[in-house]
Amino acid sequence: MKSKFFSVLLALILVLSVFNFKVSAEENAEEGVVKKNRESLELTDKEVDNLLSLGFTEEEIQNMDQEEYELNKDLDGEVVASTTQYLKIVEPIESNTSLKSQMELKETDSSEPTIIELDKQTYYEELEKEKQSSGQFSTFSSDSTSTSYKKMTTTITKLSTNNYRLKNSVSWSKLPSTRHVDVSGVGINQTYWGPTPGTQYGKQNWKTWSYFNGYQYGSATYTSGSSKWQKGTGGYALRMNLPDDETTGGCAADRVETLSSYMYYSVSPLATTNRLDAYGHFAHQDSKSTLVPGISLSGVSFSVSPSTSFSEHPNTHILEYK
């Protein structure tokens, strides 16, 4: 009798095990394989797809931390408008002079960086030529100029019927020689739309290399409570202190290899309209002076002061018809 009872119990356990395995396999097939990103955040394929639908890039997801994921995990979205701008920047520099002399020359020199907008194909063709000619992307192109390349993507993501997220992503494909402060922002048509307080978030991601440390990854986050935000009725902007090469430390001196950033915030309607305009803005400090820039942003209008210390790059413009 006991033998029969144990046989039935064993069969029941096997049936339940097979059933649980089948359910688990079906759930895994639906959710996708769980993978860890660079911040040890565990994400399924489904969760990654959801973040992509909110306007994040694969690189941004790879560097996303738990805090930002918690802010976005319960949101559903769809990117409804996007544009990418490709820029080449030729920046005058002064060689064989002290830092003080460079700063003084910058104050009196009327020469400004040359900013050239390229199409996507030309952008990557020029990058490839530079890489082939130097073996790697060197910061300085000559004794008198520094050439850098960056791309900026502005997106509108629909979150719900009347709520949208505006986002500006900037990636330097070749780093500028001067890295001190960048300002990134998105302007809106403020007659009809207003920023939603507390929805702003920004982040920088970078990679460094040294003989002693090898490759290392770093980041800086800007939550809604950060003092680096410039908030107004016409849009939000974020100022970011950029990572720079270490000049001391010998073999342990880290050199910045890659750099990217993004910022976003949400908007909701103030009056009846059938369109939402978003203007992506960006300014790069090309002087070596230490300062806290003044920022003015209102829709298509954008400026950073002192103007002699910053180059303001062409803005982007996208719109969504409701």
Side-chain angles (χ1 to χ4, degrees):
M1 188 68 178
K2 288 184 178 180
S3 176
K4 185 177 181 180
F5 172 77
F6 283 117
S7 297
V8 172
L9 181 61
L10 179 60
L12 182 61
I13 292 173
L14 288 173
V15 169
L16 289 174
S17 298
V18 170
F19 177 76
N20 289 334
F21 177 79
K22 183 179 180 181
V23 171
S24 177
E26 289 175 349
E27 288 178 348
N28 287 337
E30 182 182 350
E31 297 291 330
V33 179
V34 176
K35 297 179 181 178
K36 285 187 178 181
N37 72 353
R38 198 164 285 128
E39 293 291 325
S40 297
L41 178 64
E42 295 184 346
L43 296 169
T44 65
D45 291 341
K46 184 177 181 181
E47 289 169 330
V48 170
D49 287 342
N50 186 61
L51 292 172
L52 290 170
S53 71
L54 292 173
F56 291 102
T57 66
E58 292 184 358
E59 179 201 4
E60 291 164 355
I61 296 171
Q62 182 63 228
N63 290 285
M64 183 175 290
D65 59 21
Q66 186 70 40
E67 179 186 31
E68 186 175 14
Y69 174 70
E70 293 295 330
L71 295 173
N72 289 276
K73 68 176 184 177
D74 296 324
L75 298 177
D76 293 320
E78 177 189 4
V79 176
V80 292
S82 178
T83 186
T84 300
Q85 177 190 79
Y86 301 89
L87 294 180
K88 173 182 180 179
I89 303 100
V90 182
E91 178 184 351
I93 61 172
E94 295 294 334
S95 61
N96 302 319
T97 59
S98 66
L99 177 59
K100 180 179 179 181
S101 298
Q102 290 183 34
M103 291 171 62
E104 291 173 346
L105 284 166
K106 182 66 182 177
E107 293 296 326
T108 58
D109 189 6
S110 60
S111 63
E112 296 290 338
T114 302
I115 301 174
I116 306 166
E117 188 164 0
L118 306 173
D119 61 73
K120 182 178 180 179
Q121 180 177 343
T122 303
Y123 181 86
Y124 285 107
E125 285 177 351
E126 291 197 12
L127 283 173
E128 185 61 28
K129 288 179 181 178
E130 292 227 6
K131 188 175 182 179
Q132 290 178 356
S133 64
S134 62
Q136 62 179 3
F137 292 143
S138 57
T139 300
F140 295 97
S141 300
S142 71
D143 291 335
S144 59
T145 61
S146 166
T147 301
S148 57
Y149 292 82
K150 81 170 184 70
K151 58 181 181 178
M152 183 172 80
T153 300
T154 308
T155 57
I156 299 176
T157 299
K158 186 176 182 179
L159 299 178
S160 63
T161 303
N162 288 315
N163 291 281
Y164 294 81
R165 171 178 288 177
L166 311 182
K167 180 169 174 281
N168 218 27
S169 297
V170 174
S171 179
W172 292 94
S173 300
K174 183 182 178 185
L175 298 181
S177 60
T178 303
R179 295 192 296 277
H180 198 70
V181 172
D182 278 352
V183 178
S184 182
V186 183
I188 54 175
N189 43 341
Q190 63 194 66
T191 301
Y192 300 101
W193 295 89
T196 306
T199 59
Q200 66 271 25
Y201 194 93
K203 189 171 185 180
Q204 283 190 89
N205 293 303
W206 61 83
K207 180 174 71 174
T208 63
W209 182 87
S210 71
Y211 286 102
F212 185 81
N213 298 316
Y215 287 109
Q216 292 187 310
Y217 294 90
S219 64
T221 59
Y222 308 88
T223 63
S224 60
S226 172
S227 62
K228 300 297 183 68
W229 290 97
Q230 177 68 33
K231 297 173 287 184
T233 57
Y236 284 4
L238 176 65
R239 58 182 173 87
M240 297 166 280
N241 294 340
L242 307 186
D244 206 351
D245 298 339
E246 293 183 358
T247 56
T248 60
C251 292
D254 292 321
R255 181 180 70 233
V256 181
E257 296 280 309
T258 64
L259 176 62
S260 62
S261 66
Y262 60 94
M263 56 78 64
Y264 57 82
Y265 66 96
S266 298
V267 295
S268 56
L270 300 176
T272 302
T273 181
N274 66 346
R275 61 182 284 171
L276 167 61
D277 293 85
Y279 305 91
H281 300 292
F282 185 83
H284 174 72
Q285 183 177 343
D286 46 39
S287 73
K288 295 183 179 295
S289 55
T290 301
L291 52 85
V292 177
I295 304 168
S296 175
L297 186 155
S298 182
V300 71
S301 176
F302 173 72
S303 63
V304 178
S305 59
S307 59
T308 55
S309 297
F310 286 85
S311 57
E312 294 173 14
H313 298 188
N315 67 276
T316 57
H317 177 217
I318 52 176
L319 63 90
E320 161 65 6
Y321 285 103
K322 295 178 62 180

